[in-house]
Amino acid sequence: MKKARKGEKRRTAKPARETYVFRLFVAGNESNSSQARGNVTRLCEERIKGRYRIEVVDVLKDVSSAHKNKVLVTPTLILIKPLPKVTVLGNLNDTRQVLAALRLNGNER
């Protein structure tokens, strides 16, 4: 095995644990919007605790942000980081599908 020179990074080093950034578009406190808030928070706490940020955008108060992000339906969850971006529609009740779409069904811990 080839040793790394002083000051040189080893190629086998694990990548830094990324912070996940989500943007959740909701319509006030409607039932599906409230469910989506709770579901995304629960999934993040279970899978990537301490390594996530959820930005909640109420489209009733911030229409321009919804337009800018091409959001036509609420609730809509967008995974901003890590790339590639992913968009998931609905109240996020189908845990298995949501985890797969957001690439959180592996060993993120």
Side-chain angles (χ1 to χ4, degrees):
M1 182 171 135
K2 187 177 176 181
K3 290 186 179 182
R5 294 181 187 173
K6 189 174 182 179
E8 192 177 276
K9 290 185 179 181
R10 295 180 67 175
R11 293 175 190 238
T12 57
K14 291 183 181 180
R17 303 194 91 177
E18 284 190 87
T19 297
Y20 287 71
V21 178
F22 300 94
R23 190 168 296 139
L24 177 63
F25 291 86
V26 297
N29 288 320
E30 293 296 321
S31 176
N32 278 340
S33 294
S34 295
Q35 287 178 24
R37 277 188 199 100
N39 287 333
V40 72
T41 301
R42 177 183 50 80
L43 293 174
C44 287
E45 281 295 305
E46 290 173 357
R47 296 293 178 139
I48 51 176
K49 187 173 184 142
R51 297 188 301 122
Y52 69 92
R53 186 173 79 236
I54 302 169
E55 302 167 2
V56 178
V57 179
D58 186 341
V59 299
L60 301 177
K61 296 177 181 174
D62 189 357
V63 175
S64 63
S65 185
H67 181 71
K68 177 182 166 187
N69 287 275
K70 300 177 181 150
V71 172
L72 301 175
V73 175
T74 59
T76 295
L77 178 68
I78 302 175
L79 170 63
I80 305 296
K81 283 177 55 178
L83 293 174
K85 283 186 177 182
V86 176
T87 301
V88 182
L89 305 176
N91 62 16
L92 312 174
N93 274 344
D94 190 336
T95 301
R96 195 177 82 227
Q97 282 191 333
V98 173
L99 290 175
L102 298 176
R103 301 181 307 272
L104 293 175
N105 52 355
N107 186 15
E108 293 79 20
R109 295 178 187 208

